[in-house]
């Protein structure tokens, strides 16, 4: 009898106490590799364990391993001649052959590919004053950059010559001197490749001569009057003129043009930038073609008062001194040459203002003989030959105490505003200091609601704001002011708060961008339309977005709209998709759940595409996870329990908030009879216990408790180890 008991006990030990598998260890892991096409690559993966592990490989993107990749005896991969299709993330899986225990590790193979021109430019012929467009497309890794040469000399965007973002070369108002060979050069770190095309420029007989005696004069800070004389030859054939202008200084300046009827020889160009030089020329047109361009003329608009005030920074190093520093104005806000600055200061209590003026080249000044331990307020304004612009907001600062000179300087808020035609993007950055901010208040107003900017108008009161306060949380660092009027002067004020106490104030003043109106004759010349405005993107589901926008305020007839959609911050053009709509809205489907996308909209006229709008980013709604938790590991702890480990799913489609675990001793039971456990998102393991020890005495229950077969099927195949979302 005792012998029988011993035999029974031995049988139980054989069933229950199977040895725990040693934890697998990958002793030589694959490394991220970057290799050039044609080179060889080895991705090592060697693992150790109590039992010799089985090594297998897969690609993270689900594609099969290429047939020309060799699996070496110890489990490493060998690629003898790497090609572009070999690039990707490779996953090494080491598994215990006597259990379901496995470990994985991955590495990325990056393949460098020399550039290849997939669409070379074609030789073209254009009549004088026409537009020549060369299209050049290239592929490679890294993505090649495209540059252009004419007869071996480098070309750059400026005036009539434009190199577009995707590499196309556009030359407007082609002349005889534009005839030649144009070379598209695609280049990356692996090398370069070139393709050549030729431009032929034709001229017909009997064309009018160029306009003569071009004259120009600055009328205001934004207006220049241009006049010219009739061509000396074939004047009777002239049906119209085109006036062209571009900024004289700087690079990457775009050329603009206006159509002028043949019954006049003068034109006034408006909405220019103050204090800026422009180059003008005129071309005459007949029914047969265009003349040569007139001799160019350079003229500069008059100065205007600066469009903003410099940003101030105050500091103290002595109880009676105050160091005032400021940043020079941005070029587009100067409206001419800055000739001097005016600094105003006083104590916060008495309000008696002292004034100092310094030269336009200065960026700092020391205020001396001040009162110690006193709050002073300081502001600054800049001047051109036209006078002083708007002063800055008062900036407060306390001078040092004679006794305690450890006062910490309080730097000003860094406030920046990017102006668009109908919106202002306000961004700010707090200084590195000890003061606390619990929120913001944002205000804005139109300073002068007049279209004629040369007419001055009175300032509003300090607290007379069109909109505000807009209450913002302390984490916000930008805000978009929309539905504004193009070309109007606005003031923006940002106030920082610590609880209910005002800490600092920053001000900005400037104009929204002006929309240039064009004569009807000019619209017929296929001028690119402006991008849409008031773009709104609303998540419609976890895989779709609803977009709405408004037609540009001034444009030719819009034939269609094109929406560009891609992952937020993507650099690879192949990751973007393009969707067309004839209406001012579109529903974009096929997106990934809980993913941030960027959108831009383009207006297209008859045969001409406009620029894309500013980027709008939005995230799709969350959805159920589309994959189960990964790397499930089950480990027996005793005769009554097992330990379960897992990792979050690869495609969670949202924020994991809870795990749901179902288990049973008899997998034939219906679902409602299974035991259910829940775990928070922070947990990735749990213990499964059997509450009735008596049942362990039967061999039948021991088999069903075995985690290596039944639990693997339970959790992985049928996804009972799943995830829930809010």
């Amino acid at each position: 009898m005792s012998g029988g008991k011993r035999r029974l006990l031995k049988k139980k030990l054989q069933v229950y106490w199977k040895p725990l598998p040693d934890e697998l260890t990958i002793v030589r892991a694959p490394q991220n590799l970057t290799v050039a096409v044609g080179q060889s690559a080895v991705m090592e993966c060697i693992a150790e364990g109590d039992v010799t592990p089985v090594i297998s490989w897969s690609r993270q993107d689900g594609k099969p391993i290429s047939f020309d990749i060799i699996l070496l005896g110890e489990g490493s991969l060998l690629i003898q001649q790497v090609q572009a299709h070999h690039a990707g993330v490779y996953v090494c899986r080491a598994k215990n052959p006597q259990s379901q225990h496995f470990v994985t590790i991955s590495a990325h193979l990056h393949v460098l590919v020399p550039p290849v021109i997939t669409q070379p430019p074609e030789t073209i012929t254009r009549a004088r004053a026409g537009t020549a467009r060369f299209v050049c497309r290239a592929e490679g890794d890294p993505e090649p950059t495209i540059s252009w040469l004419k007869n071996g000399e480098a070309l750059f965007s400026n005036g009539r010559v434009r190199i577009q973002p995707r590499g196309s070369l556009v030359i407007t108002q082609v002349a005889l001197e534009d005839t030649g060979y144009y070379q598209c050069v695609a280049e990356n770190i692996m090398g370069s490749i070139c393709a050549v095309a030729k431009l032929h420029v034709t001229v017909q007989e009997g064309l009018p001569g160029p306009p003569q005696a071009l004259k120009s004069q600055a009328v205001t800070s934004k207006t220049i009057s241009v006049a010219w004389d009739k061509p000396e030859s074939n004047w009777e054939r002239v049906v119209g003129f085109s006036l062209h202008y571009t900024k004289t200084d700087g690079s990457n300046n775009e050329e603009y043009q206006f159509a002028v009827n043949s019954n006049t020889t003068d034109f006034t160009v408006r909405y220019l930038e103050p204090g800026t030089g422009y180059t003008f020329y005129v071309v005459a047109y007949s029914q047969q073609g265009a003349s040569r361009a007139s001799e160019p003329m350079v003229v500069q608009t008059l100065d205007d008062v600066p469009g903003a005030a410099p940003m101030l920074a105050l500091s103290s190093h002595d109880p009676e001194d105050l160091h005032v520093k400021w940043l020079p104005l941005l070029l587009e806000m100067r409206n001419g040459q800055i000739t001097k600055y005016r600094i105003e200061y006083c104590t916060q209590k008495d309000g008696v203002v002292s004034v100092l003026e310094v030269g336009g080249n200065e960026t700092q000044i020391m205020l001396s003989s001040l009162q110690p331990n006193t709050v002073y307020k300081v502001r600054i304004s800049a001047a051109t030959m036209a006078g002083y612009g708007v002063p800055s907001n008062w900036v407060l600062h306390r001078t040092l105490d004679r006794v305690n000179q450890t006062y910490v300087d309080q730097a000003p808020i860094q406030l920046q505003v990017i102006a668009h035609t109908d919106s202002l993007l306000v961004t700010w950055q707090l200084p590195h200091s000890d003061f606390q901010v619990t929120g913001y208040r944002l205000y804005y107003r139109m300073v002068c609601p007049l279209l004629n900017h040369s007419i001055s108008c009175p300032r509003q009161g300090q607290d007379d704001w069109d909109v505000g306060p807009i209450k913002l949380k302390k984490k916000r660092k930008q805000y978009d002011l929309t539905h504004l009027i193009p070309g109007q002067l606005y003031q923006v004020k940002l106030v920082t708060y610590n609880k209910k106490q005002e800490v600092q104030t920053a001000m900005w003043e400037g104009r929204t961008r002006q929309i240039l109106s064009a004569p009807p004759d000019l619209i017929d010349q296929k001028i690119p339309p402006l991008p849409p405005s008031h773009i709104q993107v609303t998540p419609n589901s976890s895989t779709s977005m609803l977009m709405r926008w408004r037609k540009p305020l001034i444009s030719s007839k819009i034939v269609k709209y094109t929406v560009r959609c891609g992952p937020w911050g993507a650099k690879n053009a192949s990751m973007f998709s393009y969707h067309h709509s004839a209406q001012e809205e579109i529903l974009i489907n096929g997106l990934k759940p809980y993913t941030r996308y960027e959108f831009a909209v383009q207006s297209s006229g008859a045969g001409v595409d406009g620029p894309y709008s500013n980027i709008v980013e939005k995230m799709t709604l969350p959805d159920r996870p589309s994959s189960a938790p990964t790397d499930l590991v089950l480990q027996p702890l005793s005769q009554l329990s097992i330990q379960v480990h897992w990792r979050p799913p690869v495609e969670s489609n949202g924020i994991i908030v809870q795990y749901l675990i179902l288990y049973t001793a008899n997998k034939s039971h219906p679902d409602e009879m299974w035991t259910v456990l829940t775990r928070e998102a922070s947990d990735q393991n749990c213990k499964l216990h059997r509450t009735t020890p008596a049942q362990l005495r039967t061999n039948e229950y021991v088999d069903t408790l075995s985690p290596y077969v039944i639990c693997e099927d339970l959790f992985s195949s049928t996804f009972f180890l799943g995830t829930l979302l809010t």
Side-chain angles (χ1 to χ4, degrees), residues 315-367:
S315 61
S316 294
H317 303 285
D318 187 271
E320 297 182 357
D321 292 340
L322 189 58
H323 194 190
V324 183
K325 293 183 179 180
W326 60 90
L327 296 175
L329 286 174
L330 298 176
L331 184 61
E332 59 268 23
M333 301 305 299
R334 296 176 187 174
N335 293 339
Q337 180 68 35
I338 301 298
T339 58
K340 54 186 176 180
Y341 295 98
R342 180 168 61 200
I343 292 91
E344 303 171 80
Y345 66 98
C346 63
T347 64
Q348 189 179 25
K349 292 183 178 180
D350 59 36
V352 179
V353 179
S354 300
V355 180
L356 290 176
E357 287 189 347
V358 297
N361 294 325
E362 302 293 334
T363 58
Q364 58 182 321
I365 188 175
M366 184 70 73
L367 304 180

Side-chain angles (χ1 to χ4, degrees), residues 119-149:
Q119 184 178 355
E122 298 179 353
T123 295
I124 56 176
T125 300
R126 294 292 182 267
R128 186 169 64 191
T131 298
R133 179 185 296 270
F134 292 104
V135 178
C136 185
R137 300 283 185 265
E139 294 180 355
D141 195 345
E143 184 177 356
T145 59
I146 293 180
S147 58
W148 287 87
L149 308 175

